Amino acid sequence: MQQPSNETQTITATTPPPGGNRTRTRLLRAGLAALLAAGGLMTAQTGSAGAADNPYERGPAPTVSSIEASRGHYSVSEARVSSLSVSGFGGGTIYYPTSTSDGTFGAVAISPGYTGTQSSISWLGPRLASQGFVVFTIDTLSTVDQPASRGRQLLAALDYLTQRSTVRTRIDASRLAVVGHSMGGGGTLEAAKSRPELQAAVPLTPWNLDKTWPEIRTPTLVIGAENDSVAGVSSHAIPFYNSLPSSLDKAYLELNNASHFAPNSSNTTIAQYSISWLKRFVDDDVRYEQFLCPAPRAGTTISDYRDTCPHS
């Protein structure tokens, strides 16, 4: 059955630059990342160098203002996906850069939490898409689905996105990531465990009965909330982070004075670090390493941050 694809466009103030002929080896990217972490390269320099070298780099050189902004460089369109036109998950909304001049983009599937629908996490869809990703905020088959089921549904959504959706030609199917809130965050870990070729995972105030994840090979940013009374960080987010392999690119960010439901409304801290993590590992964009390494200090918005800097 053909999916509905009603699209609406949101205008940004700038026009995406045309893509160029770009090549880069993984060794060079790792070297640039190390230099960034040491303060050896400035943002403007990596912007021009990266544009020539990295075939996955999208958008202008980032700044603190650009990753904190409610919208990024790209205008965004959206397409609704009916639950009747898909299998394995409950449909949702695809947000994607309107322009095709930069080539294909990495893609991200996002799951809501227990009893939630895609509307509870919808703010993050256009915010990530405007930074240069195709983003799918999904509804689950049931609002009470457990993490293992949500993990399978995230993967089913990515498969639909890359194989059957109306925007599949805009996506590089080798550059995929998962994000989720609460049981959707637990599902994010489940998805990364099941499909190690995923490029990035960002569980948000995650909940899961399984506390150990040594099998995960996907770079993972765990975001917890200091005052979480549903999935307390001492019994969920921190053990999840600690159990990830020490050799893995991983980070733990704890939102200062925040509750379990912090991801359910627009949150600049969640957005800026999710953007940086996804850019760094889905797009191999070392220009974003400066926002992750050296690790941010605790302060007004962050009560704890742990990382395996510098990233490989």
Side-chain angles (χ1 to χ4, degrees):
M1 182 180 297
Q2 182 66 36
Q3 70 160 62
S5 58
N6 297 326
E7 300 180 358
T8 59
Q9 182 170 318
T10 303
I11 303 299
T12 59
T14 53
T15 302
N21 181 19
R22 304 163 177 172
T23 60
R24 167 180 285 186
T25 65
R26 183 166 294 276
L27 179 60
L28 176 58
R29 288 194 293 269
L32 285 172
L35 285 171
L36 273 170
L41 292 177
M42 299 300 292
T43 301
Q45 291 174 311
T46 56
S48 59
D53 298 326
N54 184 359
Y56 308 131
E57 188 175 290
R58 299 291 181 266
T63 64
V64 172
S65 295
S66 73
I67 62 171
E68 289 181 345
S70 60
R71 290 295 182 272
H73 174 71
Y74 292 95
S75 300
V76 173
S77 297
E78 65 181 66
R80 294 282 299 186
V81 179
S82 169
S83 61
L84 300 177
S85 66
V86 300
S87 61
F89 65 105
T93 304
I94 303 170
Y95 303 90
Y96 59 95
T98 303
S99 172
T100 59
S101 63
D102 277 1
T104 57
F105 297 91
V108 185
I110 305 178
S111 169
Y114 187 71
T115 74
T117 65
Q118 63 164 319
S119 63
S120 68
I121 201 71
S122 62
W123 69 273
L124 194 52
R127 195 155 180 173
L128 292 179
S130 69
Q131 297 284 347
F133 297 101
V134 175
V135 183
F136 199 0
T137 58
I138 69 168
D139 281 317
T140 48
L141 294 170
S142 163
T143 59
V144 296
D145 287 334
Q146 298 296 298
S149 174
R150 289 172 191 267
R152 291 190 294 271
Q153 292 180 62
L154 282 167
L155 297 180
L158 287 175
D159 290 342
Y160 171 84
L161 198 59
T162 58
Q163 298 170 18
R164 294 182 51 212
S165 75
T166 58
V167 298
R168 61 189 179 276
T169 59
R170 298 171 182 259
I171 299 169
D172 180 345
S174 69
R175 298 189 288 124
L176 305 177
V178 286
V179 177
H181 171 232
S182 189
M183 284 196 182
T188 296
L189 295 167
E190 300 277 2
K193 176 181 175 180
S194 297
R195 192 172 292 182
E197 61 268 29
L198 291 174
Q199 299 297 297
V202 184
L204 307 172
T205 61
W207 188 100
N208 200 309
L209 290 176
D210 186 347
K211 308 302 182 186
T212 59
W213 300 93
E215 312 92 341
I216 288 181
R217 298 294 179 265
T218 299
T220 301
L221 167 63
V222 180
I223 298 182
E226 183 181 26
N227 296 336
D228 193 329
S229 60
V230 177
V233 294
S234 63
S235 57
H236 289 79
I238 292 175
F240 297 164
Y241 171 78
N242 287 339
S243 71
L244 295 169
S246 59
S247 59
L248 184 68
D249 287 316
K250 62 178 182 174
Y252 170 69
L253 184 154
E254 187 174 291
L255 299 167
N256 187 43
N257 199 33
S259 79
H260 181 71
F261 303 102
N264 291 153
S265 59
S266 181
N267 186 296
T268 296
T269 304
I270 290 174
Q272 69 184 99
Y273 286 97
S274 296
I275 290 165
S276 297
W277 196 263
L278 294 170
K279 283 287 191 178
R280 177 63 184 84
F281 293 105
V282 175
D283 289 355
D284 272 339
D285 195 335
V286 296
R287 299 177 301 172
Y288 289 81
E289 183 80 352
Q290 62 181 306
F291 308 117
L292 302 169
C293 295
R297 295 181 178 179
T300 304
T301 60
I302 299 173
S303 54
D304 188 8
Y305 195 97
R306 312 175 191 187
D307 204 311
T308 55
C309 293
H311 297 121
S312 60

